[in-house]
Amino acid sequence: MSEATNPETPENPDDDRPTPAEPAAPSAPAASAPAAPEQPLTGRQRLAAGLWPPRVSRAQLIVAVLLFVLGLGLAIQVRSTSDNSALRGARQEDLVRILDELDDRTQRLEDEASRLETQRSELESSSDQAEEARKQTQEKEQQLGILAGTVAAEGPGITLTIRGAAASVESDMLLDAIQELRAAGAEAIQVNDVRVVADSYFTGSGSDIEIDGTKVAAPYVFKVIGKPEDLEPALNIPGGVVQTLEKEQATATVARSQKIVVDALRPAKRPDYAQSSSQ
């Protein structure tokens, strides 16, 4: 019985050398898809690709700034030239009207500045209004006190001295002298030691003359505060106080002074019925 032939057994059993491996057959190259033809770029696409992303160098940036400044200067120059040309070609009536409008605008601005300056001054002084009001009140009180005879006063004026026999000087002569002095602008009057005010009165005659109930005797010394240049001529007018006293054998002398002191005081009286009407 014959043995079956083993296909894996080499035909030459005596050949023990290994059988060299057969070289692998080269694999067939993979089939590749045909490449699509590239589309040409349009002009706008090439421009966009060249501008973005921006690639600005330092030199380009400097050139751009210089060009911007140059363009701005040219624009300003053109505008100025246009304005000057418009004015140069305007009629005389138009130029006069433009000048008048400028004057009016200047005046309005000056008025506004003046108004604002006044407001600023008022605002600055508003903090001192209370102090200013108090100061004005004190000054008013002093003025009223001088007129009422409750405070002393001093200032320029005259001194009138009347001498004579008791029978030669009457109370009405002294009152006439007071009236002349008041008409000439006398602000404060004192006769001997009596302060003469608006409601003063003279009584008696000879050696019994009284002012507001206080007896006065010769010589009668009038201390008067006012303008000396007005007071003295008022007493020396023809037919005035001085000539009337001289006719009665009395003498009257007037002396000017830059400082007359009126220090005789009257007590302050509260009115019984009159009240202030200010609310």
Side-chain angles (χ1 to χ4, degrees):
M1 184 174 171
S2 60
E3 298 179 356
T5 303
N6 188 358
E8 297 178 359
T9 304
E11 296 180 358
N12 190 1
D14 295 332
D15 192 359
D16 296 331
R17 292 174 300 176
T19 303
E22 294 180 0
S27 60
S32 61
E38 295 181 358
Q39 296 294 333
L41 298 176
T42 64
R44 183 178 297 178
Q45 290 175 342
R46 288 196 300 271
L47 179 61
L51 295 178
W52 191 264
R55 295 179 294 275
V56 181
S57 64
R58 182 176 181 182
Q60 292 174 337
L61 181 60
I62 295 175
V63 171
V65 173
L66 293 177
L67 290 176
F68 173 76
V69 174
L70 179 61
L72 181 62
L74 289 175
I76 295 175
Q77 182 66 28
V78 169
R79 182 175 180 180
S80 176
T81 303
S82 299
D83 294 341
N84 293 336
S85 299
L87 292 176
R88 189 180 299 111
R91 297 178 304 173
Q92 182 176 1
E93 294 81 0
D94 296 334
L95 294 176
V96 172
R97 178 180 55 81
I98 294 173
L99 183 60
D100 291 341
E101 291 178 355
L102 291 177
D103 292 340
D104 293 341
R105 183 180 302 177
T106 302
Q107 184 63 39
R108 288 195 300 269
L109 292 176
E110 291 178 353
D111 294 341
E112 181 68 14
S114 178
R115 185 181 65 83
L116 293 176
E117 182 68 21
T118 302
Q119 290 180 352
R120 183 178 68 87
S121 300
E122 291 177 353
L123 291 175
E124 289 178 351
S125 62
S126 61
S127 58
D128 299 332
Q129 286 182 353
E131 179 65 23
E132 183 64 23
R134 185 184 64 83
K135 182 179 178 180
Q136 292 181 2
T137 301
Q138 290 180 347
E139 292 178 355
K140 191 67 174 178
E141 181 182 1
Q142 292 290 328
Q143 295 173 1
L144 295 177
I146 292 174
L147 297 177
T150 57
V151 297
E154 66 177 33
I158 65 170
T159 301
L160 169 64
T161 305
I162 299 176
R163 293 182 174 88
S168 62
V169 179
E170 300 290 339
S171 59
D172 58 344
M173 297 179 181
L174 301 182
L175 181 58
D176 289 342
I178 296 294
Q179 299 288 8
E180 291 290 345
L181 292 171
R182 284 175 175 170
E187 297 177 351
I189 303 174
Q190 174 179 330
V191 179
N192 291 1
D193 295 329
V194 181
R195 184 72 168 266
V196 178
V197 293
D199 59 351
S200 294
Y201 59 92
F202 292 73
T203 60
S205 62
S207 59
D208 296 326
I209 295 179
E210 294 183 355
I211 302 177
D212 297 334
T214 301
K215 187 175 181 179
V216 293
Y220 306 103
V221 180
F222 289 66
K223 295 180 180 180
V224 186
I225 295 178
K227 188 176 181 180
E229 293 80 3
D230 295 337
L231 297 175
E232 183 179 5
L235 298 175
N236 290 313
I237 60 175
V241 174
V242 173
Q243 286 189 0
T244 301
L245 291 171
E246 290 176 350
K247 290 179 180 179
E248 298 296 332
Q249 304 302 317
T251 60
T253 57
V254 181
R256 298 185 184 186
S257 176
Q258 292 301 315
K259 184 177 180 180
I260 298 294
V261 178
V262 175
D263 52 5
L265 303 180
R266 296 173 61 92
K269 296 189 301 181
R270 182 183 297 274
D272 296 330
Y273 304 102
Q275 296 180 359
S276 175
S277 61
S278 61
Q279 300 296 330

